Amino acid sequence: MDTSRSSKAEIVSLIQNEEKSLDDEVQQLEQTLPKEEGWTSGSEKSLYLYQGFWCLARDLKSVISLQKHFQAFDSDVFVATSPKCGTTWLKALTFSTLCRTQYARDEHPLLNSTPHQLVRFLEFDVYLNNPFPDLENICVYKPRIFATHIPYASLPTSIKDSKCKIVYICRNPMDMLISLWNFMGKLRDQIQDPPMSLDEAFDKFYRGIYLSGPFYEHVLGYWKASQENPDKTLFLKYEDLKEDISCQLKKLAMFLGVPFTEDEEKQGVVEEIAKICSFRELKEVQVNKKGLSRFGTPHKDFFRKGQVGDWSNYLTPSMVERLEKLIHEKLDGSGLTFKLSSKTSMA
Ligand code: PAP
């Protein structure tokens, strides 16, 4: 008997069975979960409320699949975010900090790969249409770094229980909303959907209906995890990075267990990483200017303005008032505050 053949056949049948059972599970969920209209008519047409967060039908399967099968290593690092809160930036910074000794200083991988290619999303990329991805060979650099928009409560148990590290970045919700609305506007344009009004986007965001929303539950889940176990989860803020990137980079390196040495500091390594990961530099790299990501969005759309306080150019006074009230209600007593502009902050 040809064992290599039979084991290959067994593997294929295992994958097929798993695919079938996932398809059945997702089909059932689609009929029972609360459902809302998404942000575009394409793959984002419907959102489903799964375990308390809004998820695209396309991603339900990969989320369930990775919840069941993903095995974290103690050495893994996870970049966790809500959409439009600084994912691209934190992917670039985490990769450049952790892997800095694995390439020559003038051959930085960010010159030829996008941050999303170097640090891949678990649910939109690695596990998309593949319940058993080849994780051994997926990350060229070590340790493995993955990204996710999944809320803390719904992370695979092995991520929560192992000694791996989680870095989270949040952003003030007003800038996040404007960033999301602009991003989805480009996506709508691309598939010839008519523009979505800011009123409609505001209403959806206010009700928490967007991929991985609601916002406050997402942020508070990771905030609490970071308070309870600061060695495992590092909680960063986009606005703090904007204010003092060197200080935040050193904090990140220390947390990841790879602090910058005195020599590195003298040689300007911190400033070099900050520079190559900066909005201005990344936006101009050819690989970020053309082509589509694995999840179908143009690379260039991940770089818009990269500013704090851009919301003031869009939101009406009544929108600001409603959001401020909601921020107060949701964050009251948590100890978490947001900077709304380079000057103003609120709890
Ligand atoms: P994602 O969660 O969908 O992957 P994410 O990277 O969080 O996207 O969002 C993009 C936002 O980060 C954009 O914000 P804006 O719309 O307000 O401009 C984008 O400009 C900003 N951004 C991307 N790269 C950087 C960077 N290197 N530094 C600062 N901001 C950045």
Side-chain angles (χ1 to χ4, degrees), residues 156-257:
T157 13
S158 75
I159 298 186
K160 288 190 259 188
D161 294 347
S162 68
K163 291 198 178 110
C164 68
K165 302 241 178 200
I166 300 171
V167 281
Y168 185 79
I169 189 163
C170 76
R171 186 182 194 183
N172 83 63
M174 301 200 193
D175 278 331
M176 187 247 158
L177 161 63
I178 293 306
S179 184
L180 182 66
W181 176 58
N182 275 289
F183 184 84
M184 296 314 290
K186 285 178 195 149
L187 210 58
R188 287 179 73 94
D189 203 35
Q190 194 188 324
I191 59 169
Q192 294 175 351
D193 276 357
M196 177 188 280
S197 71
L198 181 55
D199 275 335
E200 194 183 337
F202 181 90
D203 180 64
K204 279 188 188 301
F205 178 74
Y206 191 85
R207 294 190 294 135
I209 303 166
Y210 64 90
L211 193 132
S212 91
F215 179 83
Y216 306 93
E217 284 70 4
H218 200 286
V219 172
L220 284 174
Y222 284 97
W223 173 249
K224 284 181 190 146
S226 75
Q227 302 280 296
E228 280 162 21
N229 192 351
D231 291 336
K232 181 166 178 77
T233 303
L234 176 70
F235 193 96
L236 299 169
K237 296 180 188 173
Y238 184 95
E239 296 77 16
D240 292 344
L241 266 66
K242 275 296 214 187
E243 202 173 296
D244 189 345
I245 186 64
S246 297
C247 165
Q248 298 295 315
L249 250 178
K250 287 180 199 168
K251 189 165 143 185
L252 175 67
M254 187 70 83
F255 170 79
L256 293 171

Side-chain angles (χ1 to χ4, degrees), residues 11 23 38 50 68 93 96 98 101 127 139 151 156 171 192 203 206 244 261 271-272 281 293 297 302 306 309 316 328:
I11 292 168
D23 283 338
Y50 173 71
K68 274 189 189 161
L93 292 168
S96 307
L98 267 176
T101 56
Y127 277 82
C139 301
R171 186 182 194 183
Q192 294 175 351
D203 180 64
Y206 191 85
D244 189 345
T261 62
E271 288 72 21
E272 248 174 49
E281 295 269 325
S293 68
T297 25
F302 289 92
T316 65
H328 270 306

Side-chain angles (χ1 to χ4, degrees), residues 81-89 116 121 149 171 175 178-179 182-183 238 242 277-279 282 301-307 310:
T81 57
S82 247
K84 307 299 150 211
C85 287
T87 319
T88 311
W89 195 9
H116 296 285
F121 276 112
H149 283 331
R171 186 182 194 183
D175 278 331
I178 293 306
S179 184
N182 275 289
F183 184 84
Y238 184 95
K242 275 296 214 187
C277 299
S278 70
F279 177 82
L282 279 186
D301 290 354
F302 289 92
F303 305 91
R304 190 182 64 95
K305 281 192 184 173
Q307 290 171 2
D310 188 39

